[in-house]
């Protein structure tokens, strides 16, 4: 793509964008009475206009039916978790029996590790990325302690080479091989929350399996952002949240994937609840847990209907747009941001883009590391009507989201950034 640094070029790109009408399906927040330039979809996605209707349907059905809504609501509550399966399966490249919406992300991570982190004296290590999101770090640390091991010894955190910001795939693979005979679990983010690096899930999974380890991913920053192929990549398990790119609202219901190869592994340790029990006899209130096959057997509780209604509203939009089309636009949109940032005269003195420059190694987010005055620049941008994301100590994360961001937004961001630096 031959990009141009002009508003007319950006507007032309918007006019030719086959997905441009999707922006109208979202509420765009306002700053000082004007639509904000919203680049924080990697933190909290915007509200679809349809969400209110989905929630109101459930409020109305609850008002009209009370407990009868479990069977007689428009979308009967008893089976609600089944309604999101098709769209989730398409988003992450899975079978419907491999995915379910449930709980919150960190809860799901723990549930998966209960089943898939089974350390013994020989194999007890977990390989992960250094500087993982704190909740993941805490989950890993406490799971290791729970099994009586010492995180200082059992947790292998991979860090970039000196002078580099992101991990080389070859270094990840080499580390897996090096620790191979002691590695019980490889657990990485799909897209790193801080640097925006999109890891090579396929190669990492192959290397992990070669070493005899289980491989799982936290897809918080990957789902709805990049095209995933969890089933074909033979990934053992994955977890994600849906308040970022999946636009399902603050504290929204999370998701989980367990590969079909584990569907009948009733021998795996797990923490159970009644929603994971054989659904044909769930209400017989009998003793003795009999898990359902597949991911459904990891469910604990009955479905939170309001969160799930908001989730369905958003997933419907993904079904209409198609994740491959979104990714195609995303590559162009983030490519344009990258181009414009590099056009800023003083760029090398003031900041550095730490996200990989190769488009296939990143999602939509670019992380801009400031050499000086980063927070000041961020505050000026905020005043200028930009909603982005500041991460201590010195990074602004900017995520142009293909569902609702325009090329014009990206152009204006770069212009405002240039003005905020000087
Ligand atoms: C990579 C990653 N892991 C875990 C979490 C925490 O998720 P939750 O609060 O939904 O458990 C987040 C939240 O932003 C995240 O980005």
């Amino acid at each position: 793509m031959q990009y141009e640094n002009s508003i007319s070029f950006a507007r032309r790109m918007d006019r030719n964008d086959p997905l441009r009408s999707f922006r109208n399906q979202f509420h765009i927040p306002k700053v000082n009475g004007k639509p904000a330039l919203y680049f924080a979809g990697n933190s909290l996605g915007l509200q679809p206009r349809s969400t209110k209707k989905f929630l109101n349907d459930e409020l109305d059905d609850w008002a009209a039916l009370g407990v009868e809504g479990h069977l007689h609501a428009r979308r009967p509550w008893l089976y609600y978790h089944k309604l999101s399966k098709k769209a989730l399966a398409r988003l992450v490249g899975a079978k419907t029996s491999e995915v379910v919406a449930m709980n919150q992300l960190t809860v799901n991570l723990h549930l998966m590790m209960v089943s898939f982190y089974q350390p013994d004296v020989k194999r007890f290590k977990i390989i992960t990325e250094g500087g993982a999101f704190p909740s993941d770090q805490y989950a890993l640390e406490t799971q290791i302690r729970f099994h009586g091991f010492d995180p200082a010894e059992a947790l292998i955190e991979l860090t970039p080479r000196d002078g580099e910001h992101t991990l080389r795939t070859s270094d990840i693979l080499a580390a897996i091989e090096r620790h191979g005979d002691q590695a019980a679990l490889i657990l990485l983010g799909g897209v790193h929350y801080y640097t925006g690096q999109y890891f090579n899930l396929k190669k990492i999974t192959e290397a992990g399996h070669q070493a005899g380890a289980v491989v799982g991913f936290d897809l918080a920053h990957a789902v709805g952002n990049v095209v995933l192929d969890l089933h074909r990549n033979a990934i053992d398990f994955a977890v994600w949240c849906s308040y970022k790119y999946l636009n399902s609202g603050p504290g929204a219901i999370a998701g989980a994937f367990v590969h079909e190869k584990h569907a009948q592994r009733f021998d795996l340790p797990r923490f159970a609840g009644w929603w994971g029990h054989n659904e044909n006899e769930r209400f017989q209130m009998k003793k003795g847990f009999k898990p359902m096959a597949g991911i459904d057997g990891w469910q604990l509780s009955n479905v939170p209907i309001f969160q799930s209604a908001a989730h369905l509203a958003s997933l419907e939009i993904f079904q209409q747009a198609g994740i491959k089309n979104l990714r195609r636009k995303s590559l162009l949109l983030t490519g344009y941001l990258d181009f414009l940032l590099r056009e800023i005269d003083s760029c090398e003195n003031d900041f550095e883009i730490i996200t990989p420059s190769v488009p296939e190694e990143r999602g939509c987010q670019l992380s801009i590391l400031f050499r000086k005055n980063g927070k000041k620049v961020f505050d000026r941008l905020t005043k200028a009507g930009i909603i982005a994301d500041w991460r201590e100590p010195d990074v602004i994360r900017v995520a142009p989201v293909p569902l609702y961001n325009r090329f014009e937004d990206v152009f204006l961001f770069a212009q405002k950034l240039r003005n905020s630096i000087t």
Side-chain angles (χ1 to χ4, degrees):
M1 166 62 64
Q2 252 343 82
Y3 290 122
E4 289 170 29
N5 190 350
S6 72
I7 187 103
S8 57
F9 173 82
R11 288 185 177 151
R12 193 160 70 240
M13 290 297 284
D14 285 326
R15 275 197 305 277
N16 294 334
D17 169 15
L19 299 178
R20 67 182 177 281
S21 65
F22 280 93
R23 177 179 169 86
N24 302 330
Q25 296 201 34
F26 290 87
H27 291 283
I28 310 292
K30 292 199 167 144
V31 177
N32 300 329
K34 286 195 205 141
L37 293 172
Y38 194 81
F39 291 106
N42 56 346
S43 183
L44 184 70
L46 292 181
Q47 185 188 133
R49 291 185 183 276
S50 57
T51 302
K52 199 172 259 178
K53 160 92 172 84
F54 274 75
L55 286 170
N56 278 339
D57 283 355
E58 301 311 333
L59 284 169
D60 291 346
D61 283 354
W62 180 26
L65 300 168
V67 71
E68 297 294 312
H70 283 300
L71 285 173
H72 301 299
R74 272 161 278 193
R75 304 178 194 94
W77 303 329
L78 218 47
Y79 309 111
Y80 218 92
H81 59 280
K82 298 182 192 232
L83 301 180
S84 53
K85 277 177 178 279
K86 199 168 149 205
L88 284 177
R90 277 182 69 183
L91 270 180
V92 301
K95 299 190 172 181
T96 50
S97 57
E98 293 174 319
V99 290
V100 78
M102 62 179 184
N103 310 314
Q104 299 284 6
L105 169 51
T106 311
V107 175
N108 289 343
L109 185 54
H110 275 297
L111 291 179
M112 292 295 111
M113 291 213 296
V114 164
S115 296
F116 294 106
Y117 177 53
Q118 290 302 314
D120 59 32
V121 281
K122 277 174 74 186
R123 261 187 199 280
F124 60 97
K125 292 190 176 173
I126 303 179
I127 299 180
T128 191
E129 79 265 28
F133 191 85
S135 201
D136 296 30
Q137 293 183 34
Y138 308 149
L140 296 176
E141 179 191 325
T142 52
Q143 284 277 339
I144 289 170
R145 286 193 206 286
F146 179 73
H147 288 282
F149 292 91
D150 177 5
E153 202 191 345
L155 193 59
I156 308 298
E157 295 177 293
L158 308 177
T159 47
R161 295 184 184 197
D162 281 350
E164 298 184 8
H165 296 288
T166 52
L167 288 162
R168 297 189 191 188
T169 305
S170 56
D171 287 352
I172 301 176
L173 303 183
I176 293 174
E177 203 182 324
R178 202 162 55 247
H179 295 280
D181 53 357
Q182 290 189 309
L185 174 65
I186 318 293
L187 187 105
L188 276 91
V191 172
H192 194 283
Y193 88 98
Y194 190 74
T195 65
Q197 179 176 16
Y198 176 20
F199 293 113
N200 190 322
L201 273 52
K202 183 168 187 276
K203 285 193 177 159
I204 292 169
T205 305
E206 279 166 7
H209 288 164
Q210 191 87 35
V214 175
V215 183
F217 288 95
D218 174 347
L219 302 176
H221 288 263
V223 69
N225 179 15
V226 293
V227 178
L228 295 161
D229 205 0
L230 302 188
H231 177 82
R232 266 194 290 187
N233 289 342
I235 289 162
D236 294 288
F237 71 87
V239 291
W240 58 87
C241 57
S242 68
Y243 41 79
K244 300 177 188 297
Y245 298 108
L246 294 192
N247 307 318
S248 303
I253 192 163
F257 161 92
V258 168
H259 196 277
E260 189 177 48
K261 65 191 163 184
H262 302 299
Q264 305 286 336
R265 294 283 313 277
F266 303 121
D267 58 313
L268 285 171
R270 57 179 103 191
F271 289 165
W274 72 320
W275 229 250
H277 186 84
N278 176 3
E279 65 182 341
N280 298 322
E281 52 175 60
R282 187 181 290 145
F283 288 90
Q284 292 174 13
M285 308 310 201
K286 283 187 190 155
K287 255 179 116 56
F289 175 62
K290 291 188 204 149
M292 278 190 288
I295 184 69
D296 285 358
W298 271 270
Q299 294 175 101
L300 298 181
S301 299
N302 77 95
V303 182
I305 297 302
F306 300 116
Q307 286 187 42
S308 303
H311 196 34
L312 286 184
S314 169
L315 290 176
E316 191 175 80
I317 299 174
F318 276 91
Q319 289 281 71
Q320 291 161 5
I323 187 67
K324 287 191 178 149
N325 299 328
L326 288 166
R327 176 65 169 157
R328 204 171 300 127
K329 173 174 171 187
S330 176
L331 287 167
L332 287 173
L333 200 59
T334 295
Y336 191 42
L337 177 61
D338 188 284
F339 163 81
L340 292 173
L341 293 180
R342 290 177 203 279
E343 288 260 298
I344 295 177
D345 307 333
S346 63
C347 108
E348 274 165 26
N349 298 329
D350 293 307
F351 63 79
E352 181 183 355
I353 302 169
I354 59 171
T355 308
S357 53
V358 180
E360 292 72 29
E361 293 178 14
R362 65 188 183 200
C364 69
Q365 169 187 326
L366 291 186
S367 303
I368 311 169
L369 182 145
F370 283 80
R371 303 194 200 287
K372 54 181 192 288
N373 298 334
K375 188 63 174 48
K376 262 196 200 147
V377 172
F378 180 75
D379 292 341
R380 283 183 198 142
L381 288 172
T382 307
K383 271 208 184 116
I386 287 171
I387 302 181
D389 179 273
W390 171 253
R391 287 284 140 161
E392 293 293 345
D394 42 24
V395 162
I396 297 179
R397 301 187 307 168
V398 191
V401 168
L403 268 176
Y404 47 76
N405 279 121
R406 302 168 302 183
F407 288 85
E408 182 171 342
D409 297 349
V410 167
F411 178 82
L412 293 174
F413 173 83
Q415 198 178 48
K416 286 175 194 284
L417 179 67
R418 185 193 291 116
N419 295 342
S420 302
I421 290 171
T422 48

